[in-house]
Amino acid sequence: MTIARRLLVLLTVPLAALVALGVFTAFQLAAIEARSRFVAESRIVALATLGNLSRAFAELRVNVRSHMLASTGAERAAARSRFDQDERDLSRLIREYADRLVIDDRERRLLNEFQTLARDYVAGAGQVMELGDQGRASEAIAHFDRTIGPLGLRLSEVSNEWIAHDQEAAMAAGRASIAGIERFERRMLIASLAALLLTGILGVLTFRRI
């Protein structure tokens, strides 16, 4: 092999190593970006949506109690209007979560259970408020204690379990992202050292041949 060819090989190998390192880096960064996006765009949004769901349901309960405690028709009408608005917000948030934020079977189960309980709660609360509007306060209280009171407690339990599940999913995704970054750093170090070693060996051999 001529000297020119040896020098060409000596130049080509480092360039090929740099290209390989660039491709490897691009793939690793894409994987890290995907994990980070999952945390930022999925689980953080999911937790925020669950927080809004919990807030909307808490306001539903407050409005039912306000209706039961109201002393005038105007106060009952205002409480019912706020209840209807919160019910629409609750339904919208449930649909949004179902459309784009469910990640596994357990979360689907929690969503379905929450949706069913919320539907039953809204129907029961409507009956309570109808009784109140008719001046049958004692019947409204009895119906509340017998039906939607326990439903409200169960909804709170499901909501807490759901939030805890999403928190764990977010933490697991965060840990996976950190682990991916650490693996990338180790692999980059190994690849860089291997490229330097190969280039050094080739350089020494070429020098000795020349």
Side-chain angles (χ1 to χ4, degrees), residues 117-137:
L117 290 169
R119 188 183 303 118
D120 293 343
Y121 186 94
V122 169
Q127 294 173 3
V128 167
M129 288 186 287
E130 286 293 332
L131 290 170
D133 290 337
Q134 296 169 13
R136 300 156 65 183

Side-chain angles (χ1 to χ4, degrees), residues 57 61 114 117 151-161:
F57 175 63
R61 298 176 73 174
F114 187 94
L117 290 169
L151 279 173
L153 293 176
R154 179 56 189 155
L155 268 164
S156 295
E157 292 173 356
V158 173
S159 178
N160 291 336
E161 182 182 354

Side-chain angles (χ1 to χ4, degrees), residues 17-195:
L18 287 174
V19 171
L21 280 174
V23 173
F24 171 76
T25 301
F27 278 111
Q28 292 295 308
L29 289 177
I32 293 170
E33 181 184 2
R35 294 191 187 96
S36 300
R37 185 180 295 114
F38 174 77
V39 175
E41 297 181 1
S42 177
R43 292 307 87 197
I44 292 177
V45 174
L47 286 169
T49 304
L50 283 178
N52 289 330
L53 272 172
S54 297
R55 176 193 53 76
F57 175 63
E59 290 178 358
L60 277 180
R61 298 176 73 174
V62 169
N63 291 326
V64 173
R65 293 183 181 275
S66 296
H67 189 282
M68 294 171 62
L69 296 173
S71 57
T72 67
E75 290 176 348
R76 284 191 293 272
R80 182 59 186 263
S81 177
R82 293 192 298 270
F83 178 91
D84 291 340
Q85 180 59 53
D86 290 331
E87 191 274 329
R88 288 191 292 270
D89 290 342
L90 189 71
S91 298
R92 174 182 56 79
L93 290 166
I94 290 174
R95 287 195 303 271
E96 289 178 0
Y97 203 106
D99 288 343
R100 60 191 181 92
L101 294 173
V102 176
I103 59 171
D104 56 29
D105 291 339
R106 182 184 176 191
E107 190 161 44
R108 176 65 64 183
R109 175 185 62 80
L110 290 168
L111 169 65
N112 290 337
E113 185 175 1
F114 187 94
Q115 188 173 23
T116 300
L117 290 169
R119 188 183 303 118
D120 293 343
Y121 186 94
V122 169
Q127 294 173 3
V128 167
M129 288 186 287
E130 286 293 332
L131 290 170
D133 290 337
Q134 296 169 13
R136 300 156 65 183
S138 59
E139 293 180 50
I141 293 172
H143 189 67
F144 179 92
D145 292 338
R146 186 175 61 254
T147 57
I148 67 172
L151 279 173
L153 293 176
R154 179 56 189 155
L155 268 164
S156 295
E157 292 173 356
V158 173
S159 178
N160 291 336
E161 182 182 354
W162 196 357
I163 290 172
H165 174 67
D166 262 9
Q167 286 176 333
E168 177 56 34
M171 291 174 63
R175 290 192 296 268
S177 181
I178 293 172
I181 292 172
E182 292 174 346
R183 285 195 301 271
F184 169 68
E185 290 174 344
R186 290 195 299 270
R187 290 170 180 173
M188 277 297 296
L189 178 61
I190 293 171
S192 298
L193 291 175

